[in-house]
Amino acid sequence: MSTKQISLPITGMHCANCSMTVERNLRKLDGVVEANVNYANEKATVIFDPSVLDEEAIVARVRDVGYDVATARIELPVIGMTCANCSATIERTLNRKVPGVISAAVNLASERASVEYVPGLATRADIVAAIENIGYGVVEAADEEAMKDAEQAARKAEITDQARKFWLGVVLALPLFLLSMGRDFGLLGDWSRAPWVNWLFLALATPVQFYTGWDYYEGGFKSLRHGSANMDVLVAMGSSVAYVYSILVVLGLVDGHVYFETSALIITLIKLGKMLEARAKGRTSEAIKRLMGLRPKTAHVVRDGVEMEVPVAEVSVGDVVLVRPGERLPVDGVVVDGHSAVDESMLTGESLPVDKKPGDEVIGATINKQGLLWFEATKVGSQTALAQIIRLVEEAQGSKAPIQRLADQVSGVFVPVVIAVALAVFAVWFFFTPVGFTAAMIRLVAVLVIACPCALGLATPTAIMVGTGRGAEKGILFKNSEALERAHQLNAVVLDKTGTITQGEPSVTDVAANARLTKGRLLQLAASAERGSEHPLGQAVVQAARERGLVLSEVEGFEAVPGQGIVGQVDGQEVAVGTARLMAARDVSFNGLDAEVSRLQAEAKTAMLVVVAGQAVGVIAVADTIKEGSREAIAELRRLGLEVVMLTGDNQRTAETIAAQAGVDHVVAEVLPGDKAAQVKVFQDEGRVVGMVGDGINDAPALAQADVGIAIGSGTDVAMETADVTLMSGDLRGVPRAIALSKATMRTIKQNLFWAFFYNVILIPIAAGALYPFEGLPAVLRSLHPVLAAAAMAFSSVTVVTISLRLRRVRV
């Protein structure tokens, strides 16, 4: 069975029960394989069989349940249609062949196509291409930029609507509350007790009840109609009990006090909480918004020798792109001309600019700090590193962490249980105590409005969203929330040596000369002789000389001796650079350099003798050096209490030398690349929770085997498929940072869950009147008023989101 996956932005959800309702109803659809709804980022991810189901039916089910999908609609003038079959063909193509299109209607008379689609799943370009591919044309294009923010516009419209209803509630509920309190405390005189005042209270409360609070009635009805109960049910029930009871008092059907101010304030305070929550939730995805904001709108492309400015979407692979100082690179590519320093901090987290020269890779959205750069575009659109990062972070934020399962299970049964508890509270107080109907009713209302699963549903996903976003800002990319959760449980980290602890390429570490030459002259002669060599060791010698600013001479009569070294004429002298075997073959004495050679070899370095005019004059040592930051990273991992293991194919002696330099205690050497995964499995079988750190390509099997695979990235080479975590900078210090971020995120989740659970565990009994017998306590605690209960409930979710937002300031 072939399946299809879509991600729909959902609007109108008020609590975790809402997301559970949408999720449950989507799963009931024939053809749905899996459905997950994330309350924090308000997205539904659905995997379905397209032969049984289509997007329109999925969206229809979401709307039928009482929620909505943030969609956009465009109107396209179409040319080339001649009959009704033409319009039907376009409709059928758009509806069936373009992912993300919800519905399409084509009017033959007006020659226009009206298309509703989900932004992010489909674009105007996709729709136009589909029409053109079947032989028709589109006269005019809509502005892509105007449509891509449709979801954000829907969110803003929702918040604006909530704000409008809230302020109406304030305007009416505030005087209602003041008048009611003034009458109760005898501050307004006898007129306030006249019957007409109750009618005034009714007039003030009714718009709040049925305009400000209408969302709760509508949402509650739709929830109950589909066999579930959400927060809307609780709010609607709680406020309606107080409102209806007060109407009965006004009509003279029962004796007692009116509670219009209670119903109005309940709705207004909860509306305030939802409005603040929506705004706070918007801040949890600011990292994604900032990443999206990095993308330049246009690019300077050189075509046929002419520079032209084009939209970034029109840059093609192979185009030569010009970037001036201060500009952002529009796409990924390889430098073909120019030298500059590029600020890659927004993607890698590293603050120092990176020097770029011809042949170097560059990443889109980074900033050119100095000179002009010309580069050839190699990745555009959704293939760029930034686009992949945004996709990865969005997927991680939308995934469910294992720790969330308990909260989901509790949320699924929470509301029905609360309703049962509230009814039981009413029955106990009414039938078994002398407090009477009114007091029992007040306690029922307080229990209904104080209990809400919103905080419970937000506890995990908001922290995940902020944590993954914070990681992305620092160049730490988590593939999913499970990886973010699992990383804090690691007790062993296995490090690949080459390219992870070390640079992965040889470099000169030591230069030793005898009395005949200075070190500088020795390196200059050796590098001049090695200019003709293609061997990595020879290139390392040349690179070291250039880094020291030495001027190299031309080499003549160059000869490479396989496995031994090179010989050439430099400045009229024969220079040989190579191993002891080369020297023995040429009958050259070591001239007392034997001890130096032995010392360097003991340090796992390759020692090359330099011979000038038949005399040994010095030694140059080359080795794969330890990366900057590796020692600090390993020390930090050990400080975090993790066992650090180095895994390498090198011989034991070399491996132990490198390990000692890096500060690694445990070494496993002479391991073939194909056996690394098996070695990780051995550690796991011994009871360790293992994190494997490698380059993400050669170490793919080991990364997949580990509990958490961490790939050392290098900007454009982002190993996202195998690894659970990718470090964009290639700096090993990102590993302890990732673990520290995981620990901070899990600590935040546990704090959120604590407050979400214990908030209800403590306050529901108080609302039920558990403290009523303790006469020494203040009255507000002895019998929690429904208005205070509403205020507490309204701000519980805001508290959880605020705790999550603290992660944005965590130091990693």
Side-chain angles (χ1 to χ4, degrees):
M1 179 184 70
S2 62
T3 60
K4 188 176 181 180
Q5 177 175 315
I6 59 170
S7 181
L8 301 173
I10 308 295
T11 60
M13 294 191 296
H14 303 298
C15 67
N17 230 51
C18 297
S19 63
M20 295 287 290
T21 298
V22 176
E23 190 173 289
R24 185 167 53 251
N25 280 274
L26 287 174
R27 288 177 176 176
K28 290 179 183 177
L29 283 173
D30 290 336
V32 168
V33 177
E34 183 59 51
N36 288 295
V37 180
N38 186 295
Y39 175 45
N41 67 8
E42 299 178 282
K43 286 184 182 289
T45 302
V46 186
I47 301 173
F48 63 100
D49 182 353
S51 65
V52 178
L53 194 65
D54 59 18
E55 288 91 339
E56 187 171 3
I58 295 172
V59 172
R61 174 54 66 92
V62 173
R63 290 172 173 167
D64 184 54
V65 174
Y67 305 92
D68 203 358
V69 176
T71 61
R73 185 176 293 275
I74 55 172
E75 300 283 332
L76 298 174
V78 180
I79 58 174
M81 294 189 297
T82 57
C83 66
N85 198 52
C86 295
S87 59
T89 300
I90 297 174
E91 279 186 6
R92 187 165 55 250
T93 299
L94 294 177
N95 282 319
R96 297 181 181 179
K97 300 294 179 66
V98 183
V101 168
I102 303 304
S103 63
V106 181
N107 189 308
L108 181 63
S110 63
E111 295 185 284
R112 297 185 71 84
S114 178
V115 186
E116 183 183 13
Y117 69 100
V118 178
L121 296 182
T123 65
R124 178 188 176 280
D126 296 331
I127 296 165
V128 171
I131 294 173
E132 292 177 343
N133 285 342
I134 55 173
Y136 302 93
V138 177
V139 175
E140 190 176 5
D143 182 11
E144 178 73 18
E145 290 299 318
M147 295 190 293
K148 71 178 182 179
D149 295 327
E151 181 181 350
Q152 184 178 355
R155 305 283 185 233
K156 287 182 178 178
E158 186 178 4
I159 293 175
T160 301
D161 180 63
Q162 287 189 4
R164 181 171 56 250
K165 292 176 178 177
F166 164 71
W167 285 113
L168 176 72
V170 170
V171 168
L172 298 176
L174 185 59
L176 175 59
F177 172 73
L178 294 175
L179 287 171
S180 179
M181 291 299 101
R183 180 172 72 173
D184 291 347
F185 288 99
L187 302 176
L188 299 179
D190 293 338
W191 66 267
S192 63
R193 302 186 184 280
W196 65 268
V197 175
N198 283 345
W199 288 97
L200 173 63
F201 288 177
L202 172 62
L204 291 171
T206 299
V208 179
Q209 191 74 28
F210 296 108
Y211 177 72
T212 302
W214 183 251
D215 293 343
Y216 303 118
Y217 284 105
E218 186 176 38
F221 172 75
K222 290 177 178 178
S223 177
L224 291 172
R225 189 180 67 182
H226 290 276
S228 63
N230 61 6
M231 183 208 78
D232 296 335
V233 174
L234 296 179
V235 176
M237 285 182 64
S239 62
S240 295
V241 168
Y243 179 80
V244 171
Y245 173 79
S246 299
I247 289 180
L248 295 177
V249 173
V250 171
L251 296 176
L253 299 177
V254 297
D255 295 328
H257 185 283
V258 294
Y259 288 93
F260 287 120
E261 82 286 354
T262 298
S263 64
L265 282 173
I266 286 172
I267 290 174
T268 303
L269 287 171
I270 292 174
K271 184 63 71 175
L272 171 63
K274 289 288 115 184
M275 186 175 66
L276 294 176
E277 177 193 320
R279 290 176 176 173
K281 280 197 299 182
R283 293 166 60 196
T284 63
S285 59
E286 283 185 356
I288 283 287
K289 294 174 184 176
R290 281 195 291 269
L291 286 172
M292 291 180 172
L294 296 177
R295 295 180 292 198
K297 300 289 190 298
T298 60
H300 297 281
V301 179
V302 180
R303 293 174 179 166
D304 299 325
V306 178
E307 179 188 337
M308 59 184 70
E309 186 175 6
V310 300
V312 170
E314 295 182 11
V315 177
S316 302
V317 173
D319 278 341
V320 174
V321 182
L322 168 63
V323 185
R324 295 179 172 83
E327 293 181 342
R328 289 191 184 274
L329 281 68
V331 294
D332 298 355
V334 176
V335 176
V336 295
D337 194 11
H339 292 76
S340 184
V342 175
D343 180 358
E344 299 179 345
S345 60
M346 68 287 297
L347 297 181
T348 66
E350 298 299 318
S351 58
L352 293 177
V354 181
D355 291 333
K356 299 294 181 180
K357 61 184 183 302
D360 289 343
E361 293 181 331
V362 289
I363 311 172
T366 57
I367 303 173
N368 181 22
K369 302 293 288 186
Q370 294 179 354
L372 288 172
L373 278 181
W374 286 265
F375 70 92
E376 180 182 338
T378 56
K379 293 180 181 178
V380 299
S382 62
Q383 300 303 311
T384 63
L386 179 63
Q388 291 184 63
I389 291 168
I390 291 172
R391 175 183 62 83
L392 188 69
V393 177
E394 286 179 331
E395 288 178 358
Q397 291 183 342
S399 61
K400 285 188 178 181
I403 197 173
Q404 192 176 345
R405 291 171 188 156
L406 176 61
D408 287 346
Q409 291 170 353
V410 173
S411 298
V413 298
F414 190 84
V415 174
V417 169
V418 167
I419 293 173
V421 169
L423 293 174
V425 166
F426 174 82
V428 168
W429 284 105
F430 181 68
F431 292 110
F432 301 104
T433 72
V435 299
F437 176 84
T438 300
M441 180 200 71
I442 290 297
R443 289 170 176 80
L444 177 146
V445 173
V447 171
L448 286 174
V449 300
I450 202 168
C452 176
C454 296
L456 201 58
L458 287 169
T460 299
T462 53
I464 293 292
M465 290 178 71
V466 178
T468 52
R470 179 64 172 158
E473 291 175 345
K474 295 297 181 180
I476 303 168
L477 306 179
F478 291 91
K479 189 174 184 178
N480 50 48
S481 57
E482 186 173 358
L484 180 60
E485 176 179 340
R486 190 69 168 158
H488 92 286
Q489 299 172 331
L490 297 178
N491 53 35
V493 174
V494 177
L495 305 175
D496 176 56
K497 179 183 77 72
T498 306
T500 301
I501 295 177
T502 65
Q503 295 285 357
E505 56 187 28
S507 59
V508 171
T509 59
D510 300 83
V511 178
N514 61 18
R516 291 185 56 190
L517 294 175
T518 64
K519 290 183 179 181
R521 178 57 177 166
L522 175 72
L523 183 59
Q524 182 183 37
L525 288 170
S528 298
E530 291 278 13
R531 289 182 70 180
S533 175
E534 295 181 356
H535 196 281
L537 298 182
Q539 293 176 349
V541 173
V542 174
Q543 179 66 25
R546 286 174 174 164
E547 288 175 355
R548 290 165 173 78
L550 301 177
V551 178
L552 303 185
S553 303
E554 293 295 327
V555 59
E556 299 177 353
F558 176 83
E559 178 188 359
V561 183
Q564 296 182 27
I566 60 97
V567 180
Q569 293 287 327
V570 177
D571 296 338
Q573 303 178 86
E574 183 184 76
V575 178
V577 183
T579 65
R581 288 177 59 194
L582 179 66
M583 303 308 125
R586 300 178 70 83
D587 197 23
V588 174
S589 170
F590 278 35
N591 286 344
L593 294 170
D594 310 61
E596 186 68 14
V597 171
S598 298
R599 180 187 70 82
L600 294 171
Q601 289 177 340
E603 295 176 0
K605 298 173 181 176
T606 300
M608 297 183 293
L609 284 161
V610 181
V611 176
V612 177
Q615 296 292 319
V617 294
V619 182
I620 296 176
V622 176
D624 184 5
T625 56
I626 293 176
K627 278 184 181 180
E628 180 185 357
S630 290
R631 293 184 184 88
E632 296 92 325
I634 291 167
E636 181 64 17
L637 288 171
R638 295 176 65 183
R639 191 191 68 78
L640 290 171
L642 284 83
E643 178 185 359
V644 182
V645 181
M646 187 178 80
L647 204 61
T648 178
D650 286 348
N651 63 68
Q652 190 71 31
R653 181 179 176 183
T654 301
E656 288 178 351
T657 301
I658 295 294
Q661 294 173 2
V664 177
D665 289 331
H666 189 185
V667 177
V668 181
E670 301 178 23
V671 179
L672 297 175
D675 294 336
K676 288 182 179 180
Q679 186 60 54
V680 171
K681 181 68 164 58
V682 169
F683 293 141
Q684 291 172 322
D685 291 341
E686 292 172 351
R688 297 179 177 92
V689 182
V690 181
M692 172 68 196
V693 186
D695 63 13
I697 300 171
N698 298 329
D699 302 309
L703 290 170
Q705 175 63 46
D707 296 285
V708 178
I710 304 176
I712 298 288
S714 57
T716 54
D717 183 20
V718 182
M720 296 181 180
E721 297 306 318
T722 304
D724 301 300
V725 184
T726 299
L727 306 179
M728 290 291 293
S729 67
D731 189 334
L732 194 58
R733 285 173 290 194
V735 177
R737 289 171 186 165
I739 295 172
L741 180 59
S742 172
K743 289 179 180 292
T745 303
M746 293 308 300
R747 188 164 54 246
T748 299
I749 289 173
K750 290 173 182 176
Q751 290 173 355
N752 283 344
L753 289 173
F754 172 84
W755 287 112
F757 274 113
F758 282 89
Y759 158 83
N760 285 301
V761 168
I762 294 172
L763 291 185
I764 288 179
I766 295 176
L771 299 180
Y772 184 77
F774 300 97
E775 297 184 358
L777 291 173
V780 69
L781 286 178
R782 291 178 62 215
S783 186
L784 193 63
H785 194 279
V787 171
L788 296 178
M793 189 279 273
F795 288 99
S796 63
S797 298
V798 179
T799 300
V800 166
V801 178
T802 303
I803 291 173
S804 295
L805 288 173
R806 292 187 308 170
L807 276 171
R808 297 190 305 173
R809 298 192 298 272
V810 70
R811 295 186 64 182
V812 292

